[in-house]
Amino acid sequence: MSALPHQTPSPAYASPYRIEAHEGPQTLAELRAALALIDSAELTAFNARLDAARFGREQTAVITEARHLVALRTRPEVPTAVRASLAGETDLMHVDDLWAELDKGAA
């Protein structure tokens, strides 16, 4: 999903391996709407997992997982990257480099 007018613009460094807090659905209603567009079964499963989750970390994990699903299913760069990888047209990142990249956003 693209940023809406009320959302914060992307920072100077935006990792393609992360979903920043301002990206994608910002409310449960927006998240549910996005999941419904992907597949009604995904929305049903999300609601069941959210209803069963305990307040706090469990709910946060369910919401984060759903936001990742929306990003993977709606960002145009994802299928492009998958096709390029399957066709052998990309250089693979070494796992150490990937972890270093992911660590940049943890600070």
Side-chain angles (χ1 to χ4, degrees), residues 46-83:
F46 167 74
N47 285 329
R49 286 190 305 269
L50 189 61
D51 288 345
R54 297 181 60 80
F55 291 130
R57 289 184 184 187
E58 284 184 29
Q59 281 187 330
T60 300
V62 170
I63 292 167
T64 299
E65 181 182 316
R67 292 183 74 233
H68 288 169
L69 175 70
V70 169
L72 287 171
R73 299 275 182 92
T74 60
R75 285 184 171 181
E77 65 267 24
V78 172
T80 300
V82 170
R83 278 193 301 278

Side-chain angles (χ1 to χ4, degrees), residues 86-97:
L86 291 174
E89 299 169 352
T90 59
D91 293 327
L92 297 178
M93 182 181 281
H94 189 273
V95 70
D96 292 335
D97 296 331

Side-chain angles (χ1 to χ4, degrees), residues 1-23:
M1 302 190 105
S2 60
L4 298 174
H6 69 279
Q7 294 174 325
T8 307
S10 295
Y13 172 79
S15 172
Y17 306 105
R18 295 189 170 278
I19 298 173
E20 302 297 332
H22 65 274
E23 295 179 305

Side-chain angles (χ1 to χ4, degrees), residues 34-56:
L35 290 169
L37 287 174
I38 292 170
D39 185 349
S40 61
E42 293 291 356
L43 175 58
T44 301
F46 167 74
N47 285 329
R49 286 190 305 269
L50 189 61
D51 288 345
R54 297 181 60 80
F55 291 130

